[in-house]
Amino acid sequence: MRGVKIQSATVQRERGIVVKEEEIIQRLKRVYAEISLDAIRSNMENMKKNIAASTNMIAVIKTDGYGHGAVPIARELETLDYVYGFAVATAEEACMLRDAGISRPVLTLGYTFPYSYEKMIQKDIRMAVFRYDTLVELSNASRRLAKGGIQKKAKVHIKVDTGMSRIGVRPDGEGLCFVEKAFETDGIEVEGIFTHFARADETDKTAAENQIAVFEQFLAKIKERTGREIPLKHCSNSAGILELPRANMDLVRAGITLYGLWPSSQVRKDIVRLTPALSLYSTIVYVKEIEAGTGVSYGSTFVAEEKMRIATIPIGYGDGYPRGLSGKGFVLVHGQRAPILGRVCMDQFMIDVTHIPEVREGDKVTLIGCDGKDQITMEELGEISGRFNYEFACDIGKRVPRVYRKDGEILCTEE
Ligand SMILES: *Cc1c(COP(=O)(O)O)cnc(C)c1O
Protein backbone atom coordinates (compact mmCIF):
# COMPACT_ATOMS: atom_id res chain seq x y z
CA MET A 1 0.00 0.00 0.00
CA ARG A 2 1.31 3.37 -0.93
CA GLY A 3 1.09 6.55 1.04
CA VAL A 4 -1.77 8.43 -0.50
CA LYS A 5 -2.22 12.11 -0.12
CA ILE A 6 -5.80 13.04 -0.63
CA GLN A 7 -6.51 16.56 -1.58
CA SER A 8 -9.29 17.52 -3.89
CA ALA A 9 -8.45 20.03 -6.56
CA THR A 10 -11.19 22.24 -5.11
CA VAL A 11 -9.63 22.21 -1.64
CA GLN A 12 -6.27 23.04 -3.11
CA ARG A 13 -7.81 25.93 -5.03
CA GLU A 14 -9.40 27.22 -1.84
CA ARG A 15 -6.00 27.23 -0.23
CA GLY A 16 -4.72 29.29 -3.09
CA ILE A 17 -2.88 26.45 -4.76
CA VAL A 18 -4.19 26.20 -8.27
CA VAL A 19 -3.93 22.63 -9.38
CA LYS A 20 -5.51 21.97 -12.68
CA GLU A 21 -6.34 18.48 -13.71
CA GLU A 22 -4.22 18.98 -16.81
CA GLU A 23 -1.15 19.76 -14.68
CA ILE A 24 -1.64 16.59 -12.69
CA ILE A 25 -2.07 14.59 -15.88
CA GLN A 26 1.11 16.12 -17.35
CA ARG A 27 3.10 14.48 -14.59
CA LEU A 28 1.39 11.21 -15.29
CA LYS A 29 1.83 11.07 -19.03
CA ARG A 30 3.94 7.93 -19.06
CA VAL A 31 1.27 5.85 -17.42
CA TYR A 32 -1.43 6.19 -14.80
CA ALA A 33 -4.34 4.24 -13.47
CA GLU A 34 -7.48 6.24 -12.92
CA ILE A 35 -9.83 4.81 -10.32
CA SER A 36 -13.40 6.01 -10.26
CA LEU A 37 -14.62 6.19 -6.66
CA ASP A 38 -18.07 6.87 -8.11
CA ALA A 39 -17.95 3.47 -9.83
CA ILE A 40 -16.85 1.80 -6.60
CA ARG A 41 -19.64 3.42 -4.65
CA SER A 42 -22.27 2.54 -7.25
CA ASN A 43 -21.03 -1.07 -7.45
CA MET A 44 -21.42 -1.28 -3.67
CA GLU A 45 -24.89 0.26 -3.76
CA ASN A 46 -26.05 -2.01 -6.58
CA MET A 47 -24.84 -5.07 -4.67
CA LYS A 48 -26.58 -3.87 -1.53
CA LYS A 49 -29.86 -3.70 -3.48
CA ASN A 50 -29.44 -7.38 -4.33
CA ILE A 51 -29.04 -8.62 -0.75
CA ALA A 52 -31.32 -8.71 2.28
CA ALA A 53 -32.08 -5.40 3.99
CA SER A 54 -30.70 -6.79 7.26
CA THR A 55 -27.40 -7.89 5.71
CA ASN A 56 -24.47 -5.51 5.99
CA MET A 57 -21.38 -5.53 3.84
CA ILE A 58 -17.66 -6.01 4.27
CA ALA A 59 -15.57 -4.41 1.55
CA VAL A 60 -12.63 -6.72 0.79
CA ILE A 61 -9.64 -4.48 0.12
CA LYS A 62 -6.71 -6.87 0.51
CA THR A 63 -3.69 -6.50 -1.80
CA ASP A 64 -4.14 -2.75 -1.68
CA GLY A 65 -7.73 -3.00 -2.80
CA TYR A 66 -7.01 -5.50 -5.60
CA GLY A 67 -4.43 -3.01 -6.86
CA HIS A 68 -6.90 -0.11 -6.85
CA GLY A 69 -5.70 1.50 -3.59
CA ALA A 70 -7.15 0.40 -0.24
CA VAL A 71 -7.07 3.71 1.63
CA PRO A 72 -8.99 5.96 -0.80
CA ILE A 73 -11.55 3.19 -1.26
CA ALA A 74 -11.98 2.70 2.48
CA ARG A 75 -12.42 6.46 2.92
CA GLU A 76 -15.06 6.50 0.22
CA LEU A 77 -17.00 3.53 1.58
CA GLU A 78 -16.77 4.47 5.24
CA THR A 79 -19.57 6.96 4.64
CA LEU A 80 -22.06 4.19 3.77
CA ASP A 81 -24.00 3.03 6.82
CA TYR A 82 -24.46 -0.55 5.60
CA VAL A 83 -20.70 -1.03 5.31
CA TYR A 84 -19.77 -2.88 8.50
CA GLY A 85 -16.09 -2.55 7.75
CA PHE A 86 -13.17 -3.84 5.73
CA ALA A 87 -11.36 -7.12 5.19
CA VAL A 88 -7.68 -7.52 4.38
CA ALA A 89 -5.22 -10.39 4.33
CA THR A 90 -2.44 -9.32 6.67
CA ALA A 91 -1.73 -7.46 9.89
CA GLU A 92 0.27 -4.86 7.95
CA GLU A 93 -2.61 -4.14 5.60
CA ALA A 94 -4.94 -3.78 8.58
CA CYS A 95 -2.59 -1.42 10.44
CA MET A 96 -2.15 0.71 7.33
CA LEU A 97 -5.92 1.33 7.29
CA ARG A 98 -5.92 2.32 10.96
CA ASP A 99 -2.90 4.58 10.43
CA ALA A 100 -4.82 6.29 7.63
CA GLY A 101 -7.62 7.01 10.08
CA ILE A 102 -10.10 4.31 9.08
CA SER A 103 -12.20 3.65 12.17
CA ARG A 104 -14.72 1.02 11.05
CA PRO A 105 -14.00 -2.62 11.90
CA VAL A 106 -11.14 -4.22 9.99
CA LEU A 107 -10.86 -8.01 9.73
CA THR A 108 -7.83 -10.02 8.67
CA LEU A 109 -9.05 -13.00 6.66
CA GLY A 110 -5.95 -15.19 6.79
CA TYR A 111 -3.73 -16.51 9.57
CA THR A 112 -2.25 -13.68 11.58
CA PHE A 113 1.18 -14.24 13.10
CA PRO A 114 1.61 -13.76 16.87
CA TYR A 115 4.16 -10.91 16.70
CA SER A 116 1.31 -8.55 15.83
CA TYR A 117 -1.31 -9.64 18.40
CA GLU A 118 -0.82 -6.78 20.87
CA LYS A 119 -1.03 -4.28 18.07
CA MET A 120 -4.11 -5.96 16.63
CA ILE A 121 -5.88 -5.86 19.99
CA GLN A 122 -4.90 -2.24 20.63
CA LYS A 123 -6.16 -1.20 17.22
CA ASP A 124 -9.38 -3.23 17.50
CA ILE A 125 -8.52 -5.26 14.44
CA ARG A 126 -10.58 -8.42 14.15
CA MET A 127 -8.75 -11.60 13.29
CA ALA A 128 -9.75 -14.88 11.71
CA VAL A 129 -8.97 -17.65 14.22
CA PHE A 130 -8.88 -21.43 13.77
CA ARG A 131 -5.84 -22.64 15.75
CA TYR A 132 -5.74 -23.35 19.49
CA ASP A 133 -2.34 -21.75 19.88
CA THR A 134 -3.78 -18.51 18.50
CA LEU A 135 -6.36 -18.45 21.31
CA VAL A 136 -3.61 -18.94 23.90
CA GLU A 137 -1.33 -16.31 22.36
CA LEU A 138 -4.17 -13.80 22.03
CA SER A 139 -5.18 -14.33 25.62
CA ASN A 140 -1.56 -13.78 26.70
CA ALA A 141 -1.32 -10.64 24.58
CA SER A 142 -4.51 -9.27 26.12
CA ARG A 143 -3.13 -10.00 29.63
CA ARG A 144 0.16 -8.26 28.83
CA LEU A 145 -1.75 -5.20 27.62
CA ALA A 146 -3.86 -5.22 30.80
CA LYS A 147 -0.67 -5.09 32.88
CA GLY A 148 0.25 -1.98 30.94
CA GLY A 149 -3.13 -0.46 31.75
CA ILE A 150 -4.90 -1.27 28.47
CA GLN A 151 -8.05 -3.29 29.13
CA LYS A 152 -8.98 -4.74 25.78
CA LYS A 153 -10.18 -8.05 24.45
CA ALA A 154 -9.11 -9.57 21.18
CA LYS A 155 -12.11 -9.57 18.84
CA VAL A 156 -12.12 -12.66 16.69
CA HIS A 157 -14.09 -14.23 13.85
CA ILE A 158 -13.87 -18.04 13.89
CA LYS A 159 -13.06 -19.44 10.47
CA VAL A 160 -14.84 -22.64 9.48
CA ASP A 161 -13.72 -24.87 6.63
CA THR A 162 -16.81 -26.12 4.80
CA GLY A 163 -15.15 -27.18 1.58
CA MET A 164 -12.21 -24.98 0.68
CA SER A 165 -9.61 -27.00 2.67
CA ARG A 166 -7.52 -23.87 3.12
CA ILE A 167 -7.88 -22.56 6.66
CA GLY A 168 -10.60 -23.00 9.24
CA VAL A 169 -11.81 -25.46 11.84
CA ARG A 170 -13.79 -28.43 10.68
CA PRO A 171 -17.53 -28.23 11.24
CA ASP A 172 -17.57 -31.31 13.47
CA GLY A 173 -17.10 -32.20 17.13
CA GLU A 174 -13.53 -30.95 17.01
CA GLY A 175 -14.69 -27.62 15.62
CA LEU A 176 -17.33 -27.38 18.35
CA CYS A 177 -14.64 -27.84 20.99
CA PHE A 178 -12.66 -25.03 19.40
CA VAL A 179 -15.67 -22.70 19.51
CA GLU A 180 -16.28 -23.57 23.17
CA LYS A 181 -12.63 -22.96 23.94
CA ALA A 182 -12.79 -19.57 22.21
CA PHE A 183 -15.89 -18.67 24.27
CA GLU A 184 -14.13 -19.64 27.48
CA THR A 185 -10.75 -18.03 26.87
CA ASP A 186 -10.09 -14.87 28.85
CA GLY A 187 -9.32 -11.82 26.80
CA ILE A 188 -11.16 -13.06 23.73
CA GLU A 189 -14.47 -11.86 22.37
CA VAL A 190 -16.03 -14.03 19.68
CA GLU A 191 -17.65 -11.43 17.48
CA GLY A 192 -18.06 -13.43 14.28
CA ILE A 193 -17.91 -16.76 12.53
CA PHE A 194 -17.45 -17.31 8.82
CA THR A 195 -16.72 -19.67 5.99
CA HIS A 196 -15.66 -19.24 2.37
CA PHE A 197 -16.99 -20.64 -0.90
CA ALA A 198 -14.77 -22.67 -3.19
CA ARG A 199 -17.13 -22.86 -6.17
CA ALA A 200 -19.79 -20.13 -5.92
CA ASP A 201 -18.60 -18.67 -9.24
CA GLU A 202 -19.63 -21.77 -11.19
CA THR A 203 -22.91 -22.13 -13.08
CA ASP A 204 -23.76 -25.21 -11.03
CA LYS A 205 -24.31 -24.00 -7.48
CA THR A 206 -24.60 -27.46 -5.89
CA ALA A 207 -21.19 -27.34 -4.19
CA ALA A 208 -21.82 -23.84 -2.81
CA GLU A 209 -25.31 -24.82 -1.60
CA ASN A 210 -23.74 -27.77 0.22
CA GLN A 211 -21.25 -25.47 1.91
CA ILE A 212 -24.08 -23.22 3.09
CA ALA A 213 -25.94 -26.24 4.49
CA VAL A 214 -22.84 -27.50 6.33
CA PHE A 215 -22.21 -24.04 7.78
CA GLU A 216 -25.84 -23.61 8.88
CA GLN A 217 -25.82 -27.02 10.57
CA PHE A 218 -22.63 -26.14 12.40
CA LEU A 219 -24.14 -22.85 13.59
CA ALA A 220 -27.19 -24.75 14.85
CA LYS A 221 -24.93 -27.20 16.74
CA ILE A 222 -23.04 -24.34 18.38
CA LYS A 223 -26.30 -22.91 19.61
CA GLU A 224 -27.50 -26.29 20.82
CA ARG A 225 -24.26 -27.07 22.64
CA THR A 226 -23.44 -23.68 24.13
CA GLY A 227 -26.77 -21.85 24.12
CA ARG A 228 -24.96 -18.94 22.57
CA GLU A 229 -25.32 -17.23 19.26
CA ILE A 230 -22.30 -15.62 17.62
CA PRO A 231 -23.35 -12.10 16.59
CA LEU A 232 -21.88 -11.89 13.07
CA LYS A 233 -22.21 -14.83 10.71
CA HIS A 234 -20.96 -14.54 7.16
CA CYS A 235 -20.13 -16.70 4.18
CA SER A 236 -20.77 -14.93 0.88
CA ASN A 237 -18.13 -13.58 -1.49
CA SER A 238 -18.83 -11.63 -4.69
CA ALA A 239 -20.23 -14.63 -6.55
CA GLY A 240 -22.51 -15.41 -3.61
CA ILE A 241 -23.73 -11.81 -3.47
CA LEU A 242 -24.74 -12.09 -7.12
CA GLU A 243 -26.48 -15.45 -7.09
CA LEU A 244 -26.85 -17.02 -3.65
CA PRO A 245 -29.46 -15.11 -1.63
CA ARG A 246 -29.52 -17.92 0.94
CA ALA A 247 -25.96 -16.98 1.86
CA ASN A 248 -26.97 -13.49 2.98
CA MET A 249 -26.42 -13.75 6.69
CA ASP A 250 -25.38 -10.87 8.95
CA LEU A 251 -22.63 -9.84 6.55
CA VAL A 252 -21.41 -10.53 3.03
CA ARG A 253 -17.86 -9.98 1.79
CA ALA A 254 -17.62 -8.10 -1.50
CA GLY A 255 -14.28 -8.33 -3.28
CA ILE A 256 -13.85 -8.40 -7.03
CA THR A 257 -17.33 -7.01 -7.80
CA LEU A 258 -16.55 -3.92 -5.75
CA TYR A 259 -14.06 -3.02 -8.46
CA GLY A 260 -16.59 -3.70 -11.23
CA LEU A 261 -14.97 -6.98 -12.25
CA TRP A 262 -16.66 -10.39 -12.47
CA PRO A 263 -15.78 -13.40 -10.30
CA SER A 264 -15.76 -15.63 -13.39
CA SER A 265 -17.21 -15.96 -16.88
CA GLN A 266 -19.87 -18.31 -15.51
CA VAL A 267 -21.69 -15.92 -13.19
CA ARG A 268 -24.86 -14.13 -14.28
CA LYS A 269 -24.06 -10.60 -15.32
CA ASP A 270 -27.65 -9.36 -15.51
CA ILE A 271 -28.42 -9.34 -11.78
CA VAL A 272 -26.20 -6.58 -10.44
CA ARG A 273 -25.02 -3.69 -12.58
CA LEU A 274 -21.26 -3.25 -12.25
CA THR A 275 -18.95 -0.61 -13.68
CA PRO A 276 -15.21 -1.29 -13.96
CA ALA A 277 -13.51 1.22 -11.65
CA LEU A 278 -10.00 1.20 -13.08
CA SER A 279 -8.78 2.64 -16.38
CA LEU A 280 -5.17 2.51 -17.49
CA TYR A 281 -3.74 5.21 -19.73
CA SER A 282 -0.46 5.95 -21.42
CA THR A 283 0.89 8.17 -24.20
CA ILE A 284 2.42 7.53 -27.57
CA VAL A 285 6.03 8.65 -27.40
CA TYR A 286 7.27 7.75 -30.88
CA VAL A 287 5.70 7.19 -34.29
CA LYS A 288 7.54 5.93 -37.35
CA GLU A 289 7.23 4.07 -40.63
CA ILE A 290 8.94 0.73 -41.10
CA GLU A 291 9.62 -1.08 -44.35
CA ALA A 292 8.56 -4.59 -45.29
CA GLY A 293 10.92 -7.12 -43.71
CA THR A 294 11.58 -5.06 -40.56
CA GLY A 295 11.44 -6.98 -37.29
CA VAL A 296 9.73 -5.47 -34.25
CA SER A 297 10.88 -5.95 -30.63
CA TYR A 298 12.99 -8.68 -29.00
CA GLY A 299 13.29 -11.82 -31.05
CA SER A 300 11.62 -10.18 -34.07
CA THR A 301 8.57 -12.33 -33.45
CA PHE A 302 6.76 -9.85 -35.68
CA VAL A 303 8.18 -8.96 -39.08
CA ALA A 304 6.38 -6.39 -41.26
CA GLU A 305 5.03 -7.85 -44.48
CA GLU A 306 4.55 -4.43 -45.96
CA LYS A 307 5.30 -0.83 -45.18
CA MET A 308 3.55 0.14 -41.95
CA ARG A 309 3.24 2.87 -39.35
CA ILE A 310 4.01 1.84 -35.81
CA ALA A 311 3.96 3.63 -32.46
CA THR A 312 5.86 3.08 -29.20
CA ILE A 313 4.15 3.13 -25.79
CA PRO A 314 6.36 3.62 -22.70
CA ILE A 315 4.96 0.95 -20.39
CA GLY A 316 5.66 -2.76 -20.10
CA TYR A 317 5.66 -5.80 -17.88
CA GLY A 318 7.66 -3.80 -15.31
CA ASP A 319 4.39 -1.93 -14.80
CA GLY A 320 2.38 -5.16 -14.62
CA TYR A 321 1.27 -4.99 -18.24
CA PRO A 322 1.47 -8.70 -19.09
CA ARG A 323 4.15 -9.98 -21.43
CA GLY A 324 1.53 -12.59 -22.33
CA LEU A 325 -0.13 -9.88 -24.42
CA SER A 326 2.86 -9.97 -26.82
CA GLY A 327 1.53 -10.16 -30.39
CA LYS A 328 -1.99 -10.72 -29.06
CA GLY A 329 -3.24 -7.69 -27.15
CA PHE A 330 -4.42 -4.30 -28.32
CA VAL A 331 -4.95 -0.77 -27.06
CA LEU A 332 -7.35 2.03 -27.98
CA VAL A 333 -6.11 5.13 -29.78
CA HIS A 334 -8.56 7.69 -31.17
CA GLY A 335 -11.35 5.25 -30.29
CA GLN A 336 -9.90 2.49 -32.45
CA ARG A 337 -8.15 -0.76 -31.64
CA ALA A 338 -4.45 -0.91 -32.37
CA PRO A 339 -2.81 -4.36 -32.08
CA ILE A 340 0.40 -5.01 -30.17
CA LEU A 341 3.31 -5.92 -32.44
CA GLY A 342 5.93 -8.37 -31.21
CA ARG A 343 6.96 -8.79 -27.61
CA VAL A 344 5.99 -6.54 -24.74
CA CYS A 345 9.27 -5.36 -23.17
CA MET A 346 9.83 -4.43 -19.52
CA ASP A 347 9.15 -0.73 -20.10
CA GLN A 348 7.87 -0.33 -23.64
CA PHE A 349 5.94 -1.98 -26.45
CA MET A 350 4.92 -1.24 -30.02
CA ILE A 351 1.53 -1.07 -31.72
CA ASP A 352 0.32 -0.96 -35.30
CA VAL A 353 -1.27 2.38 -36.17
CA THR A 354 -1.19 2.05 -39.94
CA HIS A 355 -4.98 2.13 -40.03
CA ILE A 356 -5.22 5.22 -37.80
CA PRO A 357 -3.42 7.92 -39.83
CA GLU A 358 -4.26 10.72 -37.37
CA VAL A 359 -2.03 9.21 -34.66
CA ARG A 360 0.70 11.57 -33.44
CA GLU A 361 3.35 11.52 -30.74
CA GLY A 362 1.74 12.71 -27.50
CA ASP A 363 -1.63 11.09 -28.19
CA LYS A 364 -3.41 9.40 -25.33
CA VAL A 365 -3.59 5.61 -25.33
CA THR A 366 -6.19 3.62 -23.40
CA LEU A 367 -4.88 0.26 -22.25
CA ILE A 368 -7.85 -0.54 -20.04
CA GLY A 369 -11.10 1.42 -20.15
CA CYS A 370 -13.26 3.25 -22.65
CA ASP A 371 -12.33 5.39 -25.62
CA GLY A 372 -15.18 6.47 -27.86
CA LYS A 373 -17.58 3.60 -28.33
CA ASP A 374 -15.05 0.89 -27.60
CA GLN A 375 -13.93 -0.55 -24.27
CA ILE A 376 -11.11 -2.85 -23.18
CA THR A 377 -11.76 -4.73 -19.95
CA MET A 378 -9.40 -6.60 -17.66
CA GLU A 379 -11.46 -9.71 -18.31
CA GLU A 380 -10.77 -9.42 -22.04
CA LEU A 381 -7.04 -8.83 -21.60
CA GLY A 382 -6.92 -11.54 -18.95
CA GLU A 383 -8.42 -14.02 -21.36
CA ILE A 384 -5.99 -13.13 -24.15
CA SER A 385 -2.92 -13.27 -21.92
CA GLY A 386 -3.99 -16.36 -20.01
CA ARG A 387 -4.30 -14.40 -16.81
CA PHE A 388 -6.96 -14.43 -14.15
CA ASN A 389 -8.66 -11.01 -13.88
CA TYR A 390 -8.07 -10.88 -10.10
CA GLU A 391 -4.38 -11.40 -10.74
CA PHE A 392 -4.39 -8.81 -13.50
CA ALA A 393 -5.73 -6.15 -11.14
CA CYS A 394 -3.39 -7.05 -8.26
CA ASP A 395 -0.37 -7.03 -10.55
CA ILE A 396 -0.71 -3.48 -11.85
CA GLY A 397 2.67 -2.33 -10.67
CA LYS A 398 3.95 -0.04 -7.96
CA ARG A 399 5.46 2.07 -10.72
CA VAL A 400 1.98 3.02 -11.94
CA PRO A 401 0.62 6.12 -10.18
CA ARG A 402 -3.03 5.94 -9.12
CA VAL A 403 -5.35 8.87 -9.57
CA TYR A 404 -8.82 8.99 -8.04
CA ARG A 405 -11.83 10.56 -9.63
CA LYS A 406 -14.94 11.52 -7.72
CA ASP A 407 -17.87 13.59 -8.98
CA GLY A 408 -15.94 14.15 -12.16
CA GLU A 409 -12.99 15.70 -10.36
CA ILE A 410 -9.53 14.33 -9.76
CA LEU A 411 -9.27 13.74 -6.04
CA CYS A 412 -5.86 12.72 -5.03
CA THR A 413 -2.42 12.16 -6.34
CA GLU A 414 0.37 10.18 -4.83
CA GLU A 415 3.55 11.84 -3.81
C1 LIG B 1 -10.64 -12.63 -1.05
C2 LIG B 1 -11.74 -13.12 -0.20
C3 LIG B 1 -13.04 -12.66 -0.41
C4 LIG B 1 -13.46 -11.83 -1.58
O1 LIG B 1 -13.60 -12.67 -2.72
P1 LIG B 1 -14.21 -12.10 -4.09
O2 LIG B 1 -14.33 -13.29 -4.96
O3 LIG B 1 -13.21 -11.13 -4.60
O4 LIG B 1 -15.47 -11.45 -3.73
C5 LIG B 1 -14.00 -13.04 0.51
N1 LIG B 1 -13.69 -13.84 1.55
C6 LIG B 1 -12.45 -14.32 1.76
C7 LIG B 1 -12.19 -15.22 2.92
C8 LIG B 1 -11.44 -14.00 0.88
O5 LIG B 1 -10.21 -14.50 1.07
Side-chain angles (χ1 to χ4, degrees), residues 60 62 66 109 159 166 194 196 237-238 253-256 390:
V60 181
K62 57 196 182 193
Y66 294 42
L109 296 168
K159 180 70 186 277
R166 189 168 64 179
F194 72 112
H196 188 50
N237 55 1
S238 294
R253 304 184 302 271
I256 198 80
Y390 287 63

Short mmCIF file of all heavy atoms in Angstrom, two decimals, residues 60 62 66 109 159 166 194 196 237-238 253-256 390, ligand 1:
data_model
loop_
_atom_site.label_atom_id
_atom_site.label_comp_id
_atom_site.label_asym_id
_atom_site.label_seq_id
_atom_site.Cartn_x
_atom_site.Cartn_y
_atom_site.Cartn_z
N VAL A 60 -13.91 -6.00 0.75
CA VAL A 60 -12.63 -6.72 0.79
C VAL A 60 -11.60 -5.90 0.02
O VAL A 60 -11.72 -5.73 -1.20
CB VAL A 60 -12.78 -8.15 0.22
CG1 VAL A 60 -11.43 -8.88 0.30
CG2 VAL A 60 -13.85 -8.92 0.96
N LYS A 62 -8.05 -6.29 0.41
CA LYS A 62 -6.71 -6.87 0.51
C LYS A 62 -5.91 -6.55 -0.75
O LYS A 62 -6.49 -6.15 -1.76
CB LYS A 62 -6.82 -8.38 0.73
CG LYS A 62 -7.59 -9.12 -0.35
CD LYS A 62 -8.00 -10.52 0.08
CE LYS A 62 -8.72 -11.25 -1.03
NZ LYS A 62 -9.39 -12.47 -0.56
N TYR A 66 -7.18 -4.84 -4.31
CA TYR A 66 -7.01 -5.50 -5.60
C TYR A 66 -6.28 -4.56 -6.57
O TYR A 66 -6.65 -4.43 -7.74
CB TYR A 66 -8.36 -5.94 -6.20
CG TYR A 66 -9.11 -7.03 -5.44
CD1 TYR A 66 -9.19 -7.02 -4.06
CD2 TYR A 66 -9.77 -8.07 -6.11
CE1 TYR A 66 -9.89 -8.00 -3.38
CE2 TYR A 66 -10.48 -9.05 -5.43
CZ TYR A 66 -10.53 -9.01 -4.06
OH TYR A 66 -11.24 -9.98 -3.39
N LEU A 109 -8.39 -11.77 7.10
CA LEU A 109 -9.05 -13.00 6.66
C LEU A 109 -8.17 -14.24 6.76
O LEU A 109 -8.67 -15.35 6.80
CB LEU A 109 -9.49 -12.85 5.20
CG LEU A 109 -10.55 -11.78 4.91
CD1 LEU A 109 -10.66 -11.55 3.40
CD2 LEU A 109 -11.90 -12.20 5.48
N LYS A 159 -12.99 -19.01 11.87
CA LYS A 159 -13.06 -19.44 10.47
C LYS A 159 -13.39 -20.93 10.43
O LYS A 159 -12.77 -21.74 11.11
CB LYS A 159 -11.72 -19.18 9.78
CG LYS A 159 -11.67 -19.60 8.32
CD LYS A 159 -12.52 -18.70 7.44
CE LYS A 159 -12.63 -19.17 6.01
NZ LYS A 159 -11.51 -18.78 5.17
N ARG A 166 -8.63 -24.83 3.09
CA ARG A 166 -7.52 -23.87 3.12
C ARG A 166 -7.19 -23.57 4.59
O ARG A 166 -6.24 -24.09 5.13
CB ARG A 166 -7.93 -22.61 2.34
CG ARG A 166 -6.81 -21.63 2.12
CD ARG A 166 -7.16 -20.55 1.11
NE ARG A 166 -8.25 -19.67 1.52
CZ ARG A 166 -8.69 -18.64 0.78
NH1 ARG A 166 -8.14 -18.39 -0.40
NH2 ARG A 166 -9.69 -17.88 1.20
N PHE A 194 -17.25 -17.36 10.28
CA PHE A 194 -17.45 -17.31 8.82
C PHE A 194 -16.83 -18.49 8.10
O PHE A 194 -16.01 -19.23 8.65
CB PHE A 194 -16.93 -15.98 8.26
CG PHE A 194 -15.42 -15.81 8.23
CD1 PHE A 194 -14.74 -15.75 7.02
CD2 PHE A 194 -14.69 -15.65 9.41
CE1 PHE A 194 -13.36 -15.56 6.97
CE2 PHE A 194 -13.31 -15.46 9.37
CZ PHE A 194 -12.65 -15.42 8.15
N HIS A 196 -15.96 -19.80 3.69
CA HIS A 196 -15.66 -19.24 2.37
C HIS A 196 -15.97 -20.25 1.27
O HIS A 196 -15.64 -21.42 1.39
CB HIS A 196 -14.17 -18.84 2.34
CG HIS A 196 -13.76 -18.08 1.12
ND1 HIS A 196 -14.44 -16.97 0.67
CD2 HIS A 196 -12.72 -18.25 0.26
CE1 HIS A 196 -13.82 -16.50 -0.42
NE2 HIS A 196 -12.79 -17.26 -0.68
N ASN A 237 -19.10 -14.41 -0.76
CA ASN A 237 -18.13 -13.58 -1.49
C ASN A 237 -18.89 -12.90 -2.64
O ASN A 237 -20.13 -12.93 -2.68
CB ASN A 237 -16.98 -14.46 -1.99
CG ASN A 237 -17.48 -15.64 -2.82
OD1 ASN A 237 -18.68 -15.80 -3.05
ND2 ASN A 237 -16.56 -16.46 -3.29
N SER A 238 -18.16 -12.34 -3.59
CA SER A 238 -18.83 -11.63 -4.69
C SER A 238 -19.82 -12.53 -5.44
O SER A 238 -20.95 -12.13 -5.70
CB SER A 238 -17.80 -11.12 -5.70
OG SER A 238 -17.00 -10.12 -5.10
N ARG A 253 -19.18 -10.55 2.06
CA ARG A 253 -17.86 -9.98 1.79
C ARG A 253 -17.70 -9.72 0.29
O ARG A 253 -17.59 -10.66 -0.49
CB ARG A 253 -16.77 -10.94 2.27
CG ARG A 253 -16.89 -11.31 3.75
CD ARG A 253 -15.74 -12.20 4.21
NE ARG A 253 -15.62 -13.43 3.46
CZ ARG A 253 -16.24 -14.58 3.76
NH1 ARG A 253 -17.03 -14.65 4.83
NH2 ARG A 253 -16.06 -15.64 3.01
N ALA A 254 -17.71 -8.47 -0.08
CA ALA A 254 -17.62 -8.10 -1.50
C ALA A 254 -16.18 -7.79 -1.88
O ALA A 254 -15.58 -6.87 -1.33
CB ALA A 254 -18.50 -6.90 -1.78
N GLY A 255 -15.64 -8.57 -2.80
CA GLY A 255 -14.28 -8.33 -3.28
C GLY A 255 -14.29 -7.84 -4.71
O GLY A 255 -14.56 -6.66 -4.98
N ILE A 256 -14.07 -8.75 -5.62
CA ILE A 256 -13.85 -8.40 -7.03
C ILE A 256 -14.96 -7.52 -7.63
O ILE A 256 -14.69 -6.62 -8.42
CB ILE A 256 -13.64 -9.70 -7.88
CG1 ILE A 256 -13.00 -9.41 -9.22
CG2 ILE A 256 -14.94 -10.49 -8.06
CD1 ILE A 256 -11.52 -9.22 -9.19
N TYR A 390 -8.46 -11.30 -11.45
CA TYR A 390 -8.07 -10.88 -10.10
C TYR A 390 -6.58 -10.57 -10.07
O TYR A 390 -6.12 -9.61 -9.49
CB TYR A 390 -8.31 -12.00 -9.09
CG TYR A 390 -9.72 -12.34 -8.68
CD1 TYR A 390 -10.64 -12.82 -9.59
CD2 TYR A 390 -10.12 -12.24 -7.35
CE1 TYR A 390 -11.92 -13.18 -9.19
CE2 TYR A 390 -11.39 -12.61 -6.94
CZ TYR A 390 -12.30 -13.08 -7.86
OH TYR A 390 -13.54 -13.44 -7.46
C1 LIG B 1 -10.64 -12.63 -1.05
C2 LIG B 1 -11.74 -13.12 -0.20
C3 LIG B 1 -13.04 -12.66 -0.41
C4 LIG B 1 -13.46 -11.83 -1.58
O1 LIG B 1 -13.60 -12.67 -2.72
P1 LIG B 1 -14.21 -12.10 -4.09
O2 LIG B 1 -14.33 -13.29 -4.96
O3 LIG B 1 -13.21 -11.13 -4.60
O4 LIG B 1 -15.47 -11.45 -3.73
C5 LIG B 1 -14.00 -13.04 0.51
N1 LIG B 1 -13.69 -13.84 1.55
C6 LIG B 1 -12.45 -14.32 1.76
C7 LIG B 1 -12.19 -15.22 2.92
C8 LIG B 1 -11.44 -14.00 0.88
O5 LIG B 1 -10.21 -14.50 1.07
#
